[in-house]
Amino acid sequence: MILGDKIIELRKKQNWTQEEFAEKMNVSRQAVSKWEGAQSIPDIDKLLLMSRIFEVSVDYLIKDELSESDYVEDTSKGYRKISLEYAHTFIEDTVIYSKKVARSVSMFILSPLVLVILALNEMDDRFIILGVVFLLLLVVLGVANLILASSKVEQYAYLEKDAFELEYGVEGVLNEAKANYKETYTKGLVVGVSLTILCAIPVILSSVFPVLEVLGIPMLLLILSLAIHIFIIVGMRNGAYEKLLQVGDYSPKANDQKDLSGTVASVYWTLVTAIYLLVSFVYSAWHMSWIIFAIGGVLYGGISAIVNYISK
């Protein structure tokens, strides 16, 4: 029995009309009609709510071959099975984690903000030290936030390393959820890319209008942090769908390439940061040493392409 027929059967057992059931599900009658006519599939949230309302398992709803009393022996190859409830929880936790990661990265980007403002105002060394203290405090807070956030998602680490299988019907629900999120993901990328390009405008204007000289770099950092914030939030949610579906960057082939890319990235950005701090402290070039990261970002694109080519 397919999902649509099960919904009809369960609804009639409760003596509910489509309108009454739709009200309990917080959807329109037309949506219920489409579910029962197999014209569409409820999303993850609705399936979980439906299982609670009807007091049946999600497995029963999405597995065509199951009756309410059936038990299906696991004939998989020993792979861990991912249920719809588990997938839904993973996506919710990833969304929460992405916001915390975005917050930490914003702290890292904005950490030199006070230092840059003080340097541009040609303050003496006592005030410059305050800027360094502010930078270190934001970095510490950002790192602490990342560590605390990571501890709550460690349970999902195996999804990137070990083989697993989705239970029957889960793939279809996830594919539909991913498709529904595509528009939001695309808009997020467009806004993020636009802000990344536009963040140079304050610096350009500050070189033309002296009155804006102190605001140029701080505004660049603020706009860039917002762009990265958006990238992280929309990217990690889309990545959660890809991780469960094992497609895109999380396909078996892509995972092999990711190990090498991750190692290269760690070494590369550690070196860039060391150069930035060395130049800034030794030559007191805080007002312009930020350009090291800009150049580093451009060069990393080429290095990443070379690494991907080699790994293939």
Side-chain angles (χ1 to χ4, degrees), residues 53-69:
I53 290 175
F54 288 139
E55 296 183 348
V56 296
S57 68
V58 175
D59 275 358
Y60 166 68
L61 291 172
I62 62 179
K63 293 184 178 180
D64 296 348
E65 73 276 13
L66 284 187
S67 67
E68 291 185 62
S69 59

Side-chain angles (χ1 to χ4, degrees), residues 91-230:
I91 292 170
E92 283 189 334
D93 287 346
T94 299
V95 171
I96 295 172
Y97 177 60
S98 70
K99 294 177 181 178
K100 294 181 179 180
V101 171
R103 192 180 304 127
S104 289
V105 173
S106 293
M107 289 181 185
F108 298 148
I109 295 174
L110 296 175
S111 60
L113 188 63
V114 173
L115 189 59
V116 169
I117 293 174
L118 293 173
L120 291 174
N121 281 286
E122 299 181 351
M123 306 296 288
D124 61 41
D125 291 343
R126 291 176 300 172
F127 292 99
I128 295 297
I129 290 175
L130 290 177
V132 174
V133 170
F134 179 81
L135 181 151
L136 294 176
L137 284 175
L138 272 191
V139 170
V140 169
L141 287 174
V143 170
N145 185 58
L146 275 180
I147 293 173
L148 291 174
S150 298
S151 65
K152 294 184 179 181
V153 293
E154 286 178 353
Q155 59 179 310
Y156 304 116
Y158 75 92
L159 292 174
E160 292 190 41
K161 302 174 183 178
D162 302 333
F164 64 89
E165 291 181 347
L166 298 175
E167 290 187 352
Y168 180 82
V170 176
E171 183 175 356
V173 175
L174 289 175
N175 275 319
E176 184 170 352
K178 184 175 184 295
N180 291 336
Y181 185 69
K182 184 177 181 179
E183 183 177 356
T184 301
Y185 174 65
T186 302
K187 287 180 179 178
L189 291 182
V190 170
V191 172
V193 170
S194 300
L195 288 174
T196 303
I197 296 171
L198 295 175
C199 72
I201 291 179
V203 177
I204 295 172
L205 291 177
S206 67
S207 64
V208 178
F209 302 101
V211 70
L212 299 176
E213 184 176 352
V214 178
L215 298 176
I217 297 176
M219 287 299 295
L220 178 147
L221 294 176
L222 287 169
I223 297 173
L224 184 60
S225 69
L226 178 59
I228 300 301
H229 194 277
I230 294 172

